[in-house]
Amino acid sequence: MSGLARFGLITLFCTALRFSLGEHTISFLWFFVLYFPFINWSVYWTMLAIRTGINCLARYEKVTLPKLRAFYTWYLNVPGACAFAEVVYQGYLYNR
């Protein structure tokens, strides 16, 4: 799946979630914080640590590095999609 198609799919779900939450809830613009480098790398290293733990418990390489990187690529699309969903929702409220 291409990057733009993946982002569009995630944005669709995030927008549906944002519209279902309503007006008086948290703002999805806070998801931009997840793009800060120290948080981003912390998440990546945490995923690597969990991968190592799962592989040690399974006694073989159950979670390979390419699988982890694919999951991390999906994870990187979520904050941007949530923030974009918030912008769409605010535009809807403004033009309502």
Side-chain angles (χ1 to χ4, degrees), residues 23-69:
E23 272 185 70
H24 304 290
T25 57
I26 65 164
S27 171
F28 278 11
L29 291 178
W30 284 105
F31 282 98
F32 274 130
V33 172
L34 294 178
Y35 279 122
F36 290 160
F38 60 91
I39 294 176
N40 225 345
W41 281 106
S42 298
V43 168
Y44 186 68
W45 287 109
T46 302
M47 287 181 182
L48 283 174
I50 291 171
R51 171 190 172 264
T52 304
I54 289 173
N55 289 343
C56 284
L57 289 173
R59 296 180 193 252
Y60 67 97
E61 193 170 16
K62 187 171 186 156
V63 181
T64 62
L65 205 53
K67 279 186 186 176
L68 180 74
R69 287 191 178 136

Side-chain angles (χ1 to χ4, degrees), residues 4 8 12-13 25 29-30 36 51 60 73-74 78 83 85 93 95:
L4 188 59
L12 182 70
F13 289 119
T25 57
L29 291 178
W30 284 105
F36 290 160
R51 171 190 172 264
Y60 67 97
T73 302
W74 276 89
V78 171
L93 289 180
N95 290 315

